[in-house]
Amino acid sequence: MQFFKTAIAAALATVAFSASAMTPIQDAELSTVSGQDGVSIAANLNIKINSFTYTDTDALDANGMGGGSVSFNGIKVNGLIAANIDILSKASFLAAAGAAGVTNPGTFYNPATGGDVVQIAIPQSVVADGHYLNVSVDSIKMGNNAASFGSVAMNQIDMRGTTVWIFAH
């Protein structure tokens, strides 16, 4: 009886595996398949940078001027960003670049031999009210001085409508 149950289980497993086997599809058949194209990406950014320091390496002049540094401390970037990723044909890319105001794409893309282009776009229709990007700097200090000039903040940075193109050349 145990042998009989094992044989049935093995037969059912074989049927299940063969039913889900992948089969090749020819180009002609593939052209009739439709579905969703592109990829969407959404991220809630929370980036922290301890400090950004600019250092002037000029030698001191006769008046003791030159050299020194300024540091921006406690830099934070946070907020919502969402993007769509699509592959554009050469013709679609040239049309999109023209619509974006690019008058001579030949300066960075070869319109005669260029291929497909990856487009990353932050759509206009993203509803992100109250969740736009924010950038802040906690303190701005000169040299090794503990005193701060204050802080800086850029709030509600709206990047909707931004498009980035990536291509090989």
Side-chain angles (χ1 to χ4, degrees), residues 34-132:
S34 65
Q36 189 71 24
D37 70 323
V39 175
S40 295
I41 296 176
N44 186 20
L45 299 179
N46 190 13
I47 301 168
K48 295 178 182 171
I49 302 169
N50 186 41
S51 69
F52 167 79
T53 302
Y54 168 75
T55 302
D56 182 357
T57 58
D58 290 344
L60 294 177
D61 63 15
N63 297 319
M65 303 297 290
S69 65
V70 61
S71 64
F72 298 80
N73 306 296
I75 302 166
K76 299 175 194 80
V77 179
N78 59 45
L80 180 68
I81 187 167
N84 295 329
I85 299 176
D86 291 305
I87 305 297
L88 301 182
S89 67
K90 176 174 37 177
S92 295
F93 165 66
L94 292 172
V102 176
T103 57
N104 183 7
T107 59
F108 58 89
Y109 176 85
N110 188 328
T113 62
D116 292 344
V117 174
V118 176
Q119 174 177 278
I120 302 172
I122 300 173
Q124 290 282 1
S125 61
V126 170
V127 178
D129 294 330
H131 300 284
Y132 298 113

Side-chain angles (χ1 to χ4, degrees), residues 25-33:
I25 185 169
Q26 300 300 317
D27 284 343
E29 295 172 278
L30 187 58
S31 67
T32 64
V33 175

